[in-house]
Amino acid sequence: MANTKTILVTGAGSGIGRAIAQRLSKSNYPLILLGRNQDKLEEARKSLESPEKHQCISCDIRLPKKIAKALDKIKINSLYALVANAGVGGENSYLSNDRWHEIIDTNLTGTYNTIQECLPYLKKNKAPYKKIVILASVLARLGVPGYSGYCASKAGLLGLNRSLAIELTQDKILVNALCPGWVDTEMAHEGLRAFSKNLNISKESAFEQAMNDVPLRKMSEPDEIAQLTSFLISDSQTSITGQTLDINNGAMMP
């Protein structure tokens, strides 16, 4: 895969990551799909345009050596872009089966690990500009009870975004972050189920309550996030870096 337009998409087996991979495959990019579940990655690959052009690698982004080994194994010469989408959601509670480290280590440290392991490949690419897109969340900007780990991890990604954007200007690598709000994915529906259970209400009622804070009163579709990601990666985009773009149906207007 020596093509100068190869793109790595993490968390590509489902949800937003899969939608991004599908959108990018329609633009003829060769893709590397990375995630922890090989079966889901293969299912995602088969859903792409020209499935034979794309590869899957299974590894845990919390482990830098595993990322390095996976990248070495697929024998790529360079990367044109990285979409750092992989992450986990859910609540955490101090001392009681606390998921703080799992969430921070995956969402924040895992994204940092992935970017650092991909940088040598991005720097070797001959395109005038290379691209990194980080998937954060509207909860990088808002607080939610019981979600301190998730909110902190996503807020940390915005700081990482700004720092790397400055650091990598000399290498002509543009770095930006997206903050989606509610998106119609399995992770969102898991959140609604937890919300409904905690309040002892139906999932439908939980959805209605959640939408009270969303002026357009709807979720986004995964492909809407994918289209914005595709623009940020495109050759026509050479001026946006270090920015956080909000796509949340009006839920947060900074």
Side-chain angles (χ1 to χ4, degrees), residues 58-69:
S58 177
C59 74
D60 188 336
I61 61 171
R62 294 176 295 182
L63 306 170
K65 290 182 179 179
K66 296 289 186 180
I67 302 171
K69 185 176 179 180

Side-chain angles (χ1 to χ4, degrees), residues 138 141-142 214-216 246 248-254:
V138 67
R141 301 189 182 279
L142 299 171
V214 181
L216 291 181
D246 296 279
N248 57 38
N249 293 298
M252 180 66 188
M253 302 182 187

Side-chain angles (χ1 to χ4, degrees), residues 7 135 225:
I7 299 174
L135 271 293
I225 316 303

Side-chain angles (χ1 to χ4, degrees), residues 5 17 37 43 45 68 79 84 93 105 114 121 131 139 180 191 198 228 236 241 244 249:
K5 294 295 185 183
N37 188 314
E43 288 177 12
R45 185 182 67 82
L79 285 172
S93 178
D105 290 351
T114 305
Y121 297 93
K131 315 291 174 61
L139 295 191
N198 289 341
L228 185 52
S236 59
T241 194
T244 297
N249 293 298

Side-chain angles (χ1 to χ4, degrees), residues 139-155:
L139 295 191
R141 301 189 182 279
L142 299 171
V144 175
Y147 280 74
S148 59
Y150 189 79
C151 292
S153 70
K154 294 298 185 176

